[in-house]
Amino acid sequence: MKVVILAGGYGTRISEESAIRPKPLVEIGGHPILWHIMKIYSAHGLNDFVICCGYKGNLIKQYFRDYILARADVTFDLHDNAMHTHRNGVEPWRVTLVDTGEKTMTGGRIKRVRQYLGDETFCLTYGDGVSDINIGELIDFHRSSSALVTVSAVRQPGRFGALSLEQGADRVAGFREKSNDDGGFINGGYFVVEPEALDYIAGDDTSWEREPLEALAGEGRLAAYRHRGFWQNMDTLRDKHLLQDHWENGNAQWKIW
């Protein structure tokens, strides 16, 4: 199963960092948060990634270009203009990096990578949030739900899109982005998506969290997987420092590898 990661936004709320690099490359514990997210999926056996690049996407491409070289023993044969890799400590990842445009909205980015996804179910998440969510259980839940999209529902006060969940059920009755409601379930990312759901995306100006998910919720085709464990996104510099503190104090609950 492929994993699509949205990594093209400007990251305006963390401009102290994103002015010089895209937010997915902001480091926690010496590694980009994008690396942490990929390690979470890899721990559950998912190693085929499609990354939606946009703002400063060339830096993300450079990161992966240099990743294997930085972790390998190599011989440079200058006379023959050749490089030989002897040993490397890299993960078994296959990474497809796609330029989805600087100003494209989240839905538009997903639609732009459709050609790389085939006709199979895929995972989808944002390039700035980590969790100890059980990806295997999430996928099993989705497959048993008959929904076109499953979203992970997490608890976090304020600021984020709020989900209205049916009482005693696992269907999303409503989807409201950037709600001021405190204490309810919110969109934690970590989606599982059927390819048919991409038909709900009109084009580059479509926000995944608006028309597509709202329409799917209205049709009863958006399921919610309640995750009550650790979840934290990196929206601001304060969030970055919080995650860094978790890492340094040996309390990085998302480190399941």
Side-chain angles (χ1 to χ4, degrees):
M1 183 179 291
K2 297 191 178 192
V3 180
V4 176
I5 302 179
L6 294 165
Y10 287 99
T12 54
R13 293 190 184 94
I14 193 169
S15 58
E16 300 92 341
E17 292 273 359
S18 62
I20 58 174
R21 54 186 162 184
K23 183 161 68 165
L25 290 187
V26 174
E27 293 186 352
I28 303 297
H31 294 283
I33 193 166
L34 178 60
W35 177 88
H36 290 264
I37 295 166
M38 294 170 71
K39 291 286 282 188
I40 293 168
Y41 279 101
S42 188
H44 291 280
L46 278 68
N47 295 298
D48 194 349
F49 298 93
V50 178
I51 300 178
C52 303
C53 301
Y55 172 68
K56 295 187 181 294
N58 61 307
L59 297 182
I60 297 178
K61 292 178 181 179
Q62 289 174 19
Y63 170 76
F64 285 103
R65 180 198 65 189
D66 298 338
Y67 187 69
I68 188 170
L69 183 61
R71 288 159 178 78
D73 294 337
V74 297
T75 295
F76 292 101
D77 191 328
L78 304 186
H79 182 268
D80 292 335
N81 191 29
M83 182 185 79
H84 305 282
T85 302
H86 305 291
R87 178 197 61 82
N88 69 70
V90 299
E91 296 80 0
W93 293 345
R94 184 175 188 268
V95 185
T96 301
L97 300 151
V98 184
D99 181 4
T100 57
E102 283 204 7
K103 297 182 179 179
T104 309
M105 301 298 286
T106 49
R109 295 190 191 281
I110 300 166
K111 190 153 191 171
R112 283 203 185 196
V113 301
R114 187 170 194 168
Q115 62 181 305
Y116 301 101
L117 303 178
D119 296 321
E120 298 180 354
T121 307
F122 63 92
C123 288
L124 166 71
T125 196
Y126 304 106
D128 64 355
V130 291
S131 175
D132 61 357
I133 187 169
N134 188 317
I135 302 296
E137 286 187 3
L138 170 64
I139 293 170
D140 290 342
F141 173 87
H142 171 78
R143 286 174 170 160
S144 67
S145 73
S146 73
L148 285 187
V149 175
T150 294
V151 56
S152 59
V154 301
R155 295 242 184 220
Q156 178 82 3
R159 296 203 336 254
F160 303 97
L163 305 177
S164 176
L165 303 184
E166 294 179 3
Q167 186 68 30
D170 292 309
R171 294 292 167 174
V172 179
F175 196 95
R176 302 188 309 282
E177 183 65 6
K178 305 299 183 186
S179 170
N180 290 323
D181 295 344
D182 287 340
F185 281 100
I186 64 159
N187 167 19
Y190 291 91
F191 300 89
V192 184
V193 184
E194 298 299 327
E196 298 95 308
L198 303 190
D199 294 336
Y200 288 74
I201 302 172
D204 283 357
D205 295 331
T206 303
S207 173
W208 172 245
E209 302 78 16
R210 298 297 298 272
E211 292 88 351
L213 293 189
E214 289 169 359
L216 288 164
E219 296 174 9
R221 308 183 85 181
L222 177 61
Y225 173 84
R226 290 173 170 87
H227 173 62
R228 293 179 170 84
F230 178 85
W231 177 89
Q232 178 66 53
N233 79 328
M234 190 185 67
D235 200 43
T236 66
L237 195 60
R238 176 185 177 277
D239 297 329
K240 176 191 182 300
H241 291 157
L242 176 64
L243 290 170
Q244 183 66 34
D245 286 344
H246 281 313
W247 185 268
E248 292 177 353
N249 294 330
N251 190 34
Q253 296 179 58
W254 70 90
K255 188 179 182 296
I256 58 174
W257 58 89

